[in-house]
PDB file of all heavy atoms in Angstrom:
ATOM      1  N   TRP A 328       5.150  55.581  -0.186  1.00 95.00           N
ATOM      2  CA  TRP A 328       6.576  55.731  -0.325  1.00 95.00           C
ATOM      3  C   TRP A 328       7.216  56.483   0.837  1.00 95.00           C
ATOM      4  O   TRP A 328       8.194  56.141   1.441  1.00 95.00           O
ATOM      5  CB  TRP A 328       7.002  56.348  -1.688  1.00 95.00           C
ATOM      6  CG  TRP A 328       8.617  56.544  -1.570  1.00 95.00           C
ATOM      7  CD1 TRP A 328       9.223  57.759  -1.413  1.00 95.00           C
ATOM      8  CD2 TRP A 328       9.548  55.497  -1.799  1.00 95.00           C
ATOM      9  NE1 TRP A 328      10.585  57.451  -1.455  1.00 95.00           N
ATOM     10  CE2 TRP A 328      10.868  56.198  -1.657  1.00 95.00           C
ATOM     11  CE3 TRP A 328       9.422  54.009  -1.962  1.00 95.00           C
ATOM     12  CZ2 TRP A 328      12.068  55.417  -1.776  1.00 95.00           C
ATOM     13  CZ3 TRP A 328      10.621  53.342  -2.119  1.00 95.00           C
ATOM     14  CH2 TRP A 328      11.980  53.995  -1.998  1.00 95.00           C
ATOM     15  N   LYS A 329       6.512  57.643   1.287  1.00 94.00           N
ATOM     16  CA  LYS A 329       7.110  58.357   2.388  1.00 94.00           C
ATOM     17  C   LYS A 329       7.238  57.562   3.727  1.00 94.00           C
ATOM     18  O   LYS A 329       8.115  57.583   4.372  1.00 94.00           O
ATOM     19  CB  LYS A 329       6.077  59.573   2.612  1.00 94.00           C
ATOM     20  CG  LYS A 329       6.336  60.671   1.641  1.00 94.00           C
ATOM     21  CD  LYS A 329       5.333  61.878   1.994  1.00 94.00           C
ATOM     22  CE  LYS A 329       5.456  62.886   0.944  1.00 94.00           C
ATOM     23  NZ  LYS A 329       4.494  64.125   1.141  1.00 94.00           N
ATOM     24  N   LYS A 330       6.086  56.757   3.888  1.00 94.00           N
ATOM     25  CA  LYS A 330       6.055  55.961   5.068  1.00 94.00           C
ATOM     26  C   LYS A 330       7.124  54.827   5.075  1.00 94.00           C
ATOM     27  O   LYS A 330       7.890  54.611   6.060  1.00 94.00           O
ATOM     28  CB  LYS A 330       4.680  55.261   5.174  1.00 94.00           C
ATOM     29  CG  LYS A 330       3.534  56.158   5.550  1.00 94.00           C
ATOM     30  CD  LYS A 330       2.191  55.471   5.669  1.00 94.00           C
ATOM     31  CE  LYS A 330       1.155  56.440   6.087  1.00 94.00           C
ATOM     32  NZ  LYS A 330      -0.189  55.801   6.068  1.00 94.00           N
ATOM     33  N   ALA A 331       7.296  54.214   3.919  1.00 92.00           N
ATOM     34  CA  ALA A 331       8.346  53.182   3.705  1.00 92.00           C
ATOM     35  C   ALA A 331       9.686  53.715   3.842  1.00 92.00           C
ATOM     36  O   ALA A 331      10.659  53.149   4.431  1.00 92.00           O
ATOM     37  CB  ALA A 331       8.196  52.469   2.340  1.00 92.00           C
ATOM     38  N   TYR A 332       9.941  54.873   3.285  1.00 90.00           N
ATOM     39  CA  TYR A 332      11.236  55.566   3.354  1.00 90.00           C
ATOM     40  C   TYR A 332      11.607  56.057   4.777  1.00 90.00           C
ATOM     41  O   TYR A 332      12.714  55.924   5.214  1.00 90.00           O
ATOM     42  CB  TYR A 332      11.239  56.818   2.385  1.00 90.00           C
ATOM     43  CG  TYR A 332      12.637  57.302   2.107  1.00 90.00           C
ATOM     44  CD1 TYR A 332      13.596  56.710   1.411  1.00 90.00           C
ATOM     45  CD2 TYR A 332      12.989  58.553   2.700  1.00 90.00           C
ATOM     46  CE1 TYR A 332      14.973  57.229   1.249  1.00 90.00           C
ATOM     47  CE2 TYR A 332      14.313  59.059   2.612  1.00 90.00           C
ATOM     48  CZ  TYR A 332      15.262  58.444   1.837  1.00 90.00           C
ATOM     49  OH  TYR A 332      16.420  58.861   1.674  1.00 90.00           O
ATOM     50  N   ALA A 333      10.578  56.534   5.374  1.00 91.00           N
ATOM     51  CA  ALA A 333      10.737  56.975   6.843  1.00 91.00           C
ATOM     52  C   ALA A 333      11.132  55.753   7.734  1.00 91.00           C
ATOM     53  O   ALA A 333      12.040  55.862   8.555  1.00 91.00           O
ATOM     54  CB  ALA A 333       9.489  57.552   7.390  1.00 91.00           C
ATOM     55  N   GLU A 334      10.557  54.594   7.402  1.00 89.00           N
ATOM     56  CA  GLU A 334      10.880  53.502   8.201  1.00 89.00           C
ATOM     57  C   GLU A 334      12.272  52.964   7.930  1.00 89.00           C
ATOM     58  O   GLU A 334      12.975  52.532   8.804  1.00 89.00           O
ATOM     59  CB  GLU A 334       9.854  52.357   7.899  1.00 89.00           C
ATOM     60  CG  GLU A 334      10.011  51.043   8.649  1.00 89.00           C
ATOM     61  CD  GLU A 334       9.731  51.220  10.171  1.00 89.00           C
ATOM     62  OE1 GLU A 334       8.969  52.131  10.505  1.00 89.00           O
ATOM     63  OE2 GLU A 334      10.278  50.411  10.967  1.00 89.00           O
ATOM     64  N   LEU A 335      12.689  53.005   6.646  1.00 85.00           N
ATOM     65  CA  LEU A 335      13.920  52.659   6.196  1.00 85.00           C
ATOM     66  C   LEU A 335      15.059  53.414   6.840  1.00 85.00           C
ATOM     67  O   LEU A 335      16.095  52.902   7.122  1.00 85.00           O
ATOM     68  CB  LEU A 335      14.108  52.643   4.663  1.00 85.00           C
ATOM     69  CG  LEU A 335      15.409  52.383   4.144  1.00 85.00           C
ATOM     70  CD1 LEU A 335      15.811  50.842   4.236  1.00 85.00           C
ATOM     71  CD2 LEU A 335      15.514  52.691   2.570  1.00 85.00           C
ATOM     72  N   THR A 336      14.803  54.808   6.891  1.00 85.00           N
ATOM     73  CA  THR A 336      15.937  55.638   7.309  1.00 85.00           C
ATOM     74  C   THR A 336      15.795  55.965   8.841  1.00 85.00           C
ATOM     75  O   THR A 336      16.543  56.870   9.345  1.00 85.00           O
ATOM     76  CB  THR A 336      15.732  57.040   6.612  1.00 85.00           C
ATOM     77  OG1 THR A 336      14.495  57.515   6.716  1.00 85.00           O
ATOM     78  CG2 THR A 336      16.122  56.719   5.026  1.00 85.00           C
ATOM     79  N   LYS A 337      14.794  55.441   9.531  1.00 84.00           N
ATOM     80  CA  LYS A 337      14.602  55.721  10.945  1.00 84.00           C
ATOM     81  C   LYS A 337      15.814  55.227  11.724  1.00 84.00           C
ATOM     82  O   LYS A 337      16.268  54.055  11.530  1.00 84.00           O
ATOM     83  CB  LYS A 337      13.316  54.956  11.499  1.00 84.00           C
ATOM     84  CG  LYS A 337      13.192  55.230  12.940  1.00 84.00           C
ATOM     85  CD  LYS A 337      11.776  54.624  13.379  1.00 84.00           C
ATOM     86  CE  LYS A 337      11.716  53.116  13.357  1.00 84.00           C
ATOM     87  NZ  LYS A 337      10.439  52.477  13.746  1.00 84.00           N
ATOM     88  N   PRO A 338      16.456  56.107  12.599  1.00 79.00           N
ATOM     89  CA  PRO A 338      17.642  55.644  13.333  1.00 79.00           C
ATOM     90  C   PRO A 338      17.295  54.427  14.273  1.00 79.00           C
ATOM     91  O   PRO A 338      16.146  54.331  14.881  1.00 79.00           O
ATOM     92  CB  PRO A 338      17.932  56.885  14.223  1.00 79.00           C
ATOM     93  CG  PRO A 338      17.216  58.054  13.521  1.00 79.00           C
ATOM     94  CD  PRO A 338      16.012  57.415  12.916  1.00 79.00           C
ATOM     95  N   LYS A 339      18.208  53.485  14.257  1.00 71.00           N
ATOM     96  CA  LYS A 339      17.913  52.309  15.125  1.00 71.00           C
ATOM     97  C   LYS A 339      18.171  52.736  16.646  1.00 71.00           C
ATOM     98  O   LYS A 339      19.064  53.569  16.955  1.00 71.00           O
ATOM     99  CB  LYS A 339      18.923  51.294  14.789  1.00 71.00           C
ATOM    100  CG  LYS A 339      18.612  50.667  13.400  1.00 71.00           C
ATOM    101  CD  LYS A 339      19.652  49.434  13.082  1.00 71.00           C
ATOM    102  CE  LYS A 339      19.318  48.860  11.796  1.00 71.00           C
ATOM    103  NZ  LYS A 339      20.198  47.745  11.472  1.00 71.00           N
ATOM    104  N   ASP A 340      17.395  52.159  17.523  1.00 63.00           N
ATOM    105  CA  ASP A 340      17.480  52.465  18.952  1.00 63.00           C
ATOM    106  C   ASP A 340      18.965  51.993  19.356  1.00 63.00           C
ATOM    107  O   ASP A 340      19.308  50.878  19.178  1.00 63.00           O
ATOM    108  CB  ASP A 340      16.444  51.792  19.690  1.00 63.00           C
ATOM    109  CG  ASP A 340      15.028  52.269  19.346  1.00 63.00           C
ATOM    110  OD1 ASP A 340      14.934  53.443  18.955  1.00 63.00           O
ATOM    111  OD2 ASP A 340      14.150  51.535  19.638  1.00 63.00           O
ATOM    112  N   GLU A 341      19.585  52.869  20.071  1.00 53.00           N
ATOM    113  CA  GLU A 341      20.868  52.567  20.659  1.00 53.00           C
ATOM    114  C   GLU A 341      20.763  51.556  21.796  1.00 53.00           C
ATOM    115  O   GLU A 341      19.834  51.720  22.643  1.00 53.00           O
ATOM    116  CB  GLU A 341      21.658  53.755  21.213  1.00 53.00           C
ATOM    117  CG  GLU A 341      21.993  54.802  20.178  1.00 53.00           C
ATOM    118  CD  GLU A 341      23.128  54.231  19.246  1.00 53.00           C
ATOM    119  OE1 GLU A 341      23.934  53.417  19.831  1.00 53.00           O
ATOM    120  OE2 GLU A 341      23.192  54.671  18.058  1.00 53.00           O
ATOM    121  N   PRO A 342      21.549  50.524  21.841  1.00 53.00           N
ATOM    122  CA  PRO A 342      21.371  49.572  22.925  1.00 53.00           C
ATOM    123  C   PRO A 342      21.695  50.214  24.284  1.00 53.00           C
ATOM    124  O   PRO A 342      22.551  51.014  24.440  1.00 53.00           O
ATOM    125  CB  PRO A 342      22.336  48.462  22.675  1.00 53.00           C
ATOM    126  CG  PRO A 342      23.410  49.134  21.672  1.00 53.00           C
ATOM    127  CD  PRO A 342      22.667  50.177  20.970  1.00 53.00           C
ATOM    128  N   LYS A 343      20.844  49.928  25.259  1.00 53.00           N
ATOM    129  CA  LYS A 343      20.972  50.560  26.575  1.00 53.00           C
ATOM    130  C   LYS A 343      22.182  49.801  27.222  1.00 53.00           C
ATOM    131  O   LYS A 343      22.409  48.685  27.218  1.00 53.00           O
ATOM    132  CB  LYS A 343      19.775  50.341  27.418  1.00 53.00           C
ATOM    133  CG  LYS A 343      18.619  51.112  26.874  1.00 53.00           C
ATOM    134  CD  LYS A 343      17.325  50.874  27.765  1.00 53.00           C
ATOM    135  CE  LYS A 343      16.153  51.644  27.275  1.00 53.00           C
ATOM    136  NZ  LYS A 343      14.943  51.421  28.058  1.00 53.00           N
ATOM    137  N   ALA A 344      23.059  50.732  27.879  1.00 49.00           N
ATOM    138  CA  ALA A 344      24.231  50.186  28.647  1.00 49.00           C
ATOM    139  C   ALA A 344      23.713  49.491  29.924  1.00 49.00           C
ATOM    140  O   ALA A 344      22.853  49.986  30.626  1.00 49.00           O
ATOM    141  CB  ALA A 344      25.159  51.351  29.017  1.00 49.00           C
ATOM    142  N   GLU A 345      24.331  48.397  30.077  1.00 50.00           N
ATOM    143  CA  GLU A 345      23.973  47.555  31.347  1.00 50.00           C
ATOM    144  C   GLU A 345      24.820  48.252  32.527  1.00 50.00           C
ATOM    145  O   GLU A 345      25.891  48.632  32.469  1.00 50.00           O
ATOM    146  CB  GLU A 345      24.446  46.073  31.171  1.00 50.00           C
ATOM    147  CG  GLU A 345      23.731  45.389  30.063  1.00 50.00           C
ATOM    148  CD  GLU A 345      24.009  44.000  30.037  1.00 50.00           C
ATOM    149  OE1 GLU A 345      24.787  43.473  30.898  1.00 50.00           O
ATOM    150  OE2 GLU A 345      23.511  43.248  29.020  1.00 50.00           O
ATOM    151  N   THR A 346      24.136  48.146  33.667  1.00 44.00           N
ATOM    152  CA  THR A 346      24.712  48.749  34.873  1.00 44.00           C
ATOM    153  C   THR A 346      24.867  47.636  35.891  1.00 44.00           C
ATOM    154  O   THR A 346      24.066  46.699  35.945  1.00 44.00           O
ATOM    155  CB  THR A 346      23.837  49.860  35.403  1.00 44.00           C
ATOM    156  OG1 THR A 346      22.588  49.419  35.709  1.00 44.00           O
ATOM    157  CG2 THR A 346      23.801  51.019  34.538  1.00 44.00           C
ATOM    158  N   THR A 347      25.976  47.762  36.637  1.00 44.00           N
ATOM    159  CA  THR A 347      26.133  46.686  37.687  1.00 44.00           C
ATOM    160  C   THR A 347      25.525  47.271  38.943  1.00 44.00           C
ATOM    161  O   THR A 347      25.227  48.389  39.103  1.00 44.00           O
ATOM    162  CB  THR A 347      27.740  46.579  37.955  1.00 44.00           C
ATOM    163  OG1 THR A 347      28.242  47.841  38.396  1.00 44.00           O
ATOM    164  CG2 THR A 347      28.408  46.074  36.611  1.00 44.00           C
TER     165      THR A 347
END
Side-chain angles (χ1 to χ4, degrees):
W328 175 257
K329 285 180 182 178
K330 291 180 180 179
Y332 190 74
E334 185 64 28
L335 175 69
T336 56
K337 183 173 64 176
K339 294 182 179 179
D340 294 334
E341 292 293 333
K343 294 181 179 180
E345 295 185 5
T346 57
T347 64

